[in-house]
PDB file of all heavy atoms in Angstrom:
ATOM      1  N   ALA A 310     -18.085  29.448   8.146  1.00 97.00           N
ATOM      2  CA  ALA A 310     -16.992  28.518   7.850  1.00 97.00           C
ATOM      3  C   ALA A 310     -15.660  29.265   7.885  1.00 97.00           C
ATOM      4  O   ALA A 310     -14.676  28.784   8.463  1.00 97.00           O
ATOM      5  CB  ALA A 310     -17.206  27.851   6.495  1.00 97.00           C
ATOM      6  N   CYS A 311     -15.639  30.439   7.310  1.00 98.00           N
ATOM      7  CA  CYS A 311     -14.425  31.266   7.299  1.00 98.00           C
ATOM      8  C   CYS A 311     -14.070  31.712   8.719  1.00 98.00           C
ATOM      9  O   CYS A 311     -12.915  31.615   9.141  1.00 98.00           O
ATOM     10  CB  CYS A 311     -14.645  32.467   6.393  1.00 98.00           C
ATOM     11  SG  CYS A 311     -13.206  33.541   6.249  1.00 98.00           S
ATOM     12  N   VAL A 312     -15.055  32.168   9.457  1.00 98.00           N
ATOM     13  CA  VAL A 312     -14.832  32.614  10.832  1.00 98.00           C
ATOM     14  C   VAL A 312     -14.354  31.444  11.693  1.00 98.00           C
ATOM     15  O   VAL A 312     -13.460  31.603  12.534  1.00 98.00           O
ATOM     16  CB  VAL A 312     -16.122  33.264  11.403  1.00 98.00           C
ATOM     17  CG1 VAL A 312     -16.006  33.533  12.881  1.00 98.00           C
ATOM     18  CG2 VAL A 312     -16.438  34.556  10.658  1.00 98.00           C
ATOM     19  N   GLY A 313     -14.916  30.276  11.468  1.00 97.00           N
ATOM     20  CA  GLY A 313     -14.500  29.088  12.211  1.00 97.00           C
ATOM     21  C   GLY A 313     -13.045  28.730  11.949  1.00 97.00           C
ATOM     22  O   GLY A 313     -12.301  28.367  12.862  1.00 97.00           O
ATOM     23  N   ARG A 314     -12.640  28.830  10.698  1.00 98.00           N
ATOM     24  CA  ARG A 314     -11.234  28.564  10.366  1.00 98.00           C
ATOM     25  C   ARG A 314     -10.313  29.574  11.056  1.00 98.00           C
ATOM     26  O   ARG A 314      -9.232  29.216  11.540  1.00 98.00           O
ATOM     27  CB  ARG A 314     -11.019  28.599   8.854  1.00 98.00           C
ATOM     28  CG  ARG A 314     -11.495  27.345   8.151  1.00 98.00           C
ATOM     29  CD  ARG A 314     -11.048  27.282   6.703  1.00 98.00           C
ATOM     30  NE  ARG A 314     -11.536  28.391   5.891  1.00 98.00           N
ATOM     31  CZ  ARG A 314     -12.723  28.433   5.276  1.00 98.00           C
ATOM     32  NH1 ARG A 314     -13.552  27.414   5.378  1.00 98.00           N
ATOM     33  NH2 ARG A 314     -13.075  29.465   4.555  1.00 98.00           N
ATOM     34  N   MET A 315     -10.758  30.817  11.109  1.00 98.00           N
ATOM     35  CA  MET A 315      -9.962  31.851  11.777  1.00 98.00           C
ATOM     36  C   MET A 315      -9.828  31.545  13.269  1.00 98.00           C
ATOM     37  O   MET A 315      -8.751  31.724  13.849  1.00 98.00           O
ATOM     38  CB  MET A 315     -10.588  33.223  11.552  1.00 98.00           C
ATOM     39  CG  MET A 315     -10.510  33.697  10.116  1.00 98.00           C
ATOM     40  SD  MET A 315     -11.425  35.216   9.827  1.00 98.00           S
ATOM     41  CE  MET A 315     -10.394  36.392  10.682  1.00 98.00           C
ATOM     42  N   ARG A 316     -10.894  31.063  13.891  1.00 98.00           N
ATOM     43  CA  ARG A 316     -10.835  30.717  15.314  1.00 98.00           C
ATOM     44  C   ARG A 316      -9.899  29.527  15.527  1.00 98.00           C
ATOM     45  O   ARG A 316      -9.056  29.547  16.429  1.00 98.00           O
ATOM     46  CB  ARG A 316     -12.222  30.405  15.851  1.00 98.00           C
ATOM     47  CG  ARG A 316     -12.180  30.023  17.337  1.00 98.00           C
ATOM     48  CD  ARG A 316     -13.526  29.820  17.937  1.00 98.00           C
ATOM     49  NE  ARG A 316     -14.195  28.662  17.367  1.00 98.00           N
ATOM     50  CZ  ARG A 316     -15.293  28.121  17.872  1.00 98.00           C
ATOM     51  NH1 ARG A 316     -15.866  28.657  18.942  1.00 98.00           N
ATOM     52  NH2 ARG A 316     -15.853  27.084  17.301  1.00 98.00           N
ATOM     53  N   ARG A 317     -10.046  28.498  14.705  1.00 98.00           N
ATOM     54  CA  ARG A 317      -9.212  27.309  14.867  1.00 98.00           C
ATOM     55  C   ARG A 317      -7.724  27.604  14.644  1.00 98.00           C
ATOM     56  O   ARG A 317      -6.865  26.971  15.253  1.00 98.00           O
ATOM     57  CB  ARG A 317      -9.675  26.197  13.927  1.00 98.00           C
ATOM     58  CG  ARG A 317     -10.966  25.539  14.385  1.00 98.00           C
ATOM     59  CD  ARG A 317     -11.307  24.312  13.563  1.00 98.00           C
ATOM     60  NE  ARG A 317     -11.517  24.595  12.151  1.00 98.00           N
ATOM     61  CZ  ARG A 317     -12.639  25.083  11.618  1.00 98.00           C
ATOM     62  NH1 ARG A 317     -13.666  25.361  12.393  1.00 98.00           N
ATOM     63  NH2 ARG A 317     -12.732  25.281  10.324  1.00 98.00           N
ATOM     64  N   SER A 318      -7.422  28.569  13.795  1.00 98.00           N
ATOM     65  CA  SER A 318      -6.018  28.900  13.540  1.00 98.00           C
ATOM     66  C   SER A 318      -5.476  29.907  14.555  1.00 98.00           C
ATOM     67  O   SER A 318      -4.295  30.285  14.483  1.00 98.00           O
ATOM     68  CB  SER A 318      -5.840  29.437  12.119  1.00 98.00           C
ATOM     69  OG  SER A 318      -6.465  30.695  11.984  1.00 98.00           O
ATOM     70  N   GLY A 319      -6.311  30.335  15.486  1.00 98.00           N
ATOM     71  CA  GLY A 319      -5.856  31.235  16.535  1.00 98.00           C
ATOM     72  C   GLY A 319      -5.957  32.712  16.201  1.00 98.00           C
ATOM     73  O   GLY A 319      -5.496  33.549  16.974  1.00 98.00           O
ATOM     74  N   LEU A 320      -6.548  33.046  15.067  1.00 98.00           N
ATOM     75  CA  LEU A 320      -6.693  34.455  14.700  1.00 98.00           C
ATOM     76  C   LEU A 320      -7.826  35.145  15.454  1.00 98.00           C
ATOM     77  O   LEU A 320      -7.832  36.375  15.571  1.00 98.00           O
ATOM     78  CB  LEU A 320      -6.920  34.587  13.191  1.00 98.00           C
ATOM     79  CG  LEU A 320      -5.755  34.141  12.312  1.00 98.00           C
ATOM     80  CD1 LEU A 320      -6.165  34.147  10.847  1.00 98.00           C
ATOM     81  CD2 LEU A 320      -4.548  35.022  12.542  1.00 98.00           C
ATOM     82  N   LEU A 321      -8.789  34.357  15.939  1.00 98.00           N
ATOM     83  CA  LEU A 321      -9.907  34.898  16.721  1.00 98.00           C
ATOM     84  C   LEU A 321     -10.001  34.152  18.044  1.00 98.00           C
ATOM     85  O   LEU A 321      -9.781  32.940  18.093  1.00 98.00           O
ATOM     86  CB  LEU A 321     -11.240  34.717  15.979  1.00 98.00           C
ATOM     87  CG  LEU A 321     -11.476  35.485  14.698  1.00 98.00           C
ATOM     88  CD1 LEU A 321     -12.814  35.091  14.095  1.00 98.00           C
ATOM     89  CD2 LEU A 321     -11.430  36.979  14.944  1.00 98.00           C
ATOM     90  N   THR A 322     -10.348  34.879  19.086  1.00 98.00           N
ATOM     91  CA  THR A 322     -10.640  34.243  20.364  1.00 98.00           C
ATOM     92  C   THR A 322     -12.063  33.693  20.320  1.00 98.00           C
ATOM     93  O   THR A 322     -12.841  34.011  19.403  1.00 98.00           O
ATOM     94  CB  THR A 322     -10.543  35.248  21.521  1.00 98.00           C
ATOM     95  OG1 THR A 322     -11.579  36.239  21.355  1.00 98.00           O
ATOM     96  CG2 THR A 322      -9.173  35.929  21.566  1.00 98.00           C
ATOM     97  N   ASP A 323     -12.420  32.901  21.324  1.00 97.00           N
ATOM     98  CA  ASP A 323     -13.789  32.394  21.400  1.00 97.00           C
ATOM     99  C   ASP A 323     -14.790  33.542  21.511  1.00 97.00           C
ATOM    100  O   ASP A 323     -15.852  33.499  20.906  1.00 97.00           O
ATOM    101  CB  ASP A 323     -13.952  31.440  22.582  1.00 97.00           C
ATOM    102  CG  ASP A 323     -13.250  30.110  22.349  1.00 97.00           C
ATOM    103  OD1 ASP A 323     -12.919  29.791  21.180  1.00 97.00           O
ATOM    104  OD2 ASP A 323     -13.041  29.382  23.333  1.00 97.00           O
ATOM    105  N   ALA A 324     -14.435  34.569  22.261  1.00 98.00           N
ATOM    106  CA  ALA A 324     -15.327  35.731  22.418  1.00 98.00           C
ATOM    107  C   ALA A 324     -15.503  36.464  21.087  1.00 98.00           C
ATOM    108  O   ALA A 324     -16.618  36.893  20.747  1.00 98.00           O
ATOM    109  CB  ALA A 324     -14.789  36.678  23.480  1.00 98.00           C
ATOM    110  N   GLU A 325     -14.428  36.614  20.338  1.00 98.00           N
ATOM    111  CA  GLU A 325     -14.515  37.270  19.034  1.00 98.00           C
ATOM    112  C   GLU A 325     -15.344  36.434  18.063  1.00 98.00           C
ATOM    113  O   GLU A 325     -16.129  36.971  17.270  1.00 98.00           O
ATOM    114  CB  GLU A 325     -13.117  37.518  18.469  1.00 98.00           C
ATOM    115  CG  GLU A 325     -12.348  38.562  19.241  1.00 98.00           C
ATOM    116  CD  GLU A 325     -10.876  38.608  18.873  1.00 98.00           C
ATOM    117  OE1 GLU A 325     -10.290  37.557  18.543  1.00 98.00           O
ATOM    118  OE2 GLU A 325     -10.306  39.713  18.928  1.00 98.00           O
ATOM    119  N   TYR A 326     -15.161  35.116  18.118  1.00 97.00           N
ATOM    120  CA  TYR A 326     -15.953  34.224  17.277  1.00 97.00           C
ATOM    121  C   TYR A 326     -17.448  34.395  17.589  1.00 97.00           C
ATOM    122  O   TYR A 326     -18.259  34.504  16.685  1.00 97.00           O
ATOM    123  CB  TYR A 326     -15.530  32.772  17.511  1.00 97.00           C
ATOM    124  CG  TYR A 326     -16.444  31.771  16.838  1.00 97.00           C
ATOM    125  CD1 TYR A 326     -16.257  31.422  15.515  1.00 97.00           C
ATOM    126  CD2 TYR A 326     -17.510  31.197  17.533  1.00 97.00           C
ATOM    127  CE1 TYR A 326     -17.103  30.514  14.885  1.00 97.00           C
ATOM    128  CE2 TYR A 326     -18.359  30.293  16.915  1.00 97.00           C
ATOM    129  CZ  TYR A 326     -18.144  29.960  15.595  1.00 97.00           C
ATOM    130  OH  TYR A 326     -18.997  29.072  14.979  1.00 97.00           O
ATOM    131  N   GLU A 327     -17.778  34.406  18.864  1.00 96.00           N
ATOM    132  CA  GLU A 327     -19.181  34.546  19.265  1.00 96.00           C
ATOM    133  C   GLU A 327     -19.755  35.885  18.799  1.00 96.00           C
ATOM    134  O   GLU A 327     -20.888  35.947  18.333  1.00 96.00           O
ATOM    135  CB  GLU A 327     -19.306  34.408  20.786  1.00 96.00           C
ATOM    136  CG  GLU A 327     -20.717  34.452  21.287  1.00 96.00           C
ATOM    137  CD  GLU A 327     -21.609  33.347  20.732  1.00 96.00           C
ATOM    138  OE1 GLU A 327     -21.118  32.256  20.396  1.00 96.00           O
ATOM    139  OE2 GLU A 327     -22.825  33.595  20.634  1.00 96.00           O
ATOM    140  N   LYS A 328     -18.978  36.939  18.886  1.00 98.00           N
ATOM    141  CA  LYS A 328     -19.422  38.256  18.419  1.00 98.00           C
ATOM    142  C   LYS A 328     -19.677  38.211  16.905  1.00 98.00           C
ATOM    143  O   LYS A 328     -20.689  38.732  16.422  1.00 98.00           O
ATOM    144  CB  LYS A 328     -18.378  39.319  18.767  1.00 98.00           C
ATOM    145  CG  LYS A 328     -18.739  40.697  18.329  1.00 98.00           C
ATOM    146  CD  LYS A 328     -19.956  41.219  19.052  1.00 98.00           C
ATOM    147  CE  LYS A 328     -20.236  42.653  18.638  1.00 98.00           C
ATOM    148  NZ  LYS A 328     -21.477  43.153  19.159  1.00 98.00           N
TER     149      LYS A 328
END
Side-chain angles (χ1 to χ4, degrees):
C311 182
V312 171
R314 283 191 300 274
M315 292 173 71
R316 179 175 66 168
R317 286 188 299 279
S318 68
L320 295 173
L321 293 177
T322 65
D323 288 343
E325 291 168 327
Y326 171 85
E327 184 60 28
K328 180 65 177 173

